[in-house]
Amino acid sequence: MDIPPSQGIDEIVANQASQPQQGTVVTEKNELGMDDFFKLLTTQLVSQDPLEPMQDTEFISQMANFSSLSQMEAIAENTSGLREDQRTATMMNLIGKHVIALDDDSAPFHGRIDRVEWQDGQLMPYIGNIPVPYENIVEVSENPFEESGNPSTGEEIPPTGSGGI
């Protein structure tokens, strides 16, 4: 009886990937789950040389690494959701606040955020009918920045030294 030589996990993955089994559906999925890991581990155990078996510490190390990776992916997914929730709360808290923002030419203008609407999959604050991307807001206040004029029209702020800010 011929005993196959010990194979590394990379060789096993390459061999199994190149030889789909009957009834197996091959997909374009690039993710490995816990089931895939245990299949690979079982294949590695079956294929190892019984005269020179892998140490149990190697298996434990592989399992710990895979478990850590799964947990990091879950944390990243949860963090992404929290970040989106925080951004939504921040946008909603802008309603009624007075802001100074920069227009497309980097000229500052001010006004009061009247509403926040979904636009292209993101929340967009508005001063009157003027959309104000969150990234363009440079200052937020409870009180108007200037007493003259209508602050919710998005009036341009005069340059420093000319009676403005």
Side-chain angles (χ1 to χ4, degrees), residues 7-18 32 40 44 62:
Q7 290 181 313
I9 196 161
D10 293 334
E11 294 169 333
I12 294 170
V13 171
N15 288 341
Q16 285 191 346
S18 65
L32 290 175
L40 288 171
Q44 192 174 13
Q62 289 175 1

Side-chain angles (χ1 to χ4, degrees), residues 4 10 22 46-47 83 89 94-95 98 100-101 109 115 145:
D10 293 334
Q22 183 177 1
V46 169
S47 300
R83 190 176 321 125
L94 285 175
I95 296 173
H98 296 270
I100 295 178
F109 65 97
R115 68 185 190 282
F145 289 102

Side-chain angles (χ1 to χ4, degrees), residues 6 48-55 58:
S6 177
Q48 72 178 338
D49 184 355
L51 300 176
E52 295 180 28
M54 289 182 67
Q55 298 295 319
E58 292 178 52

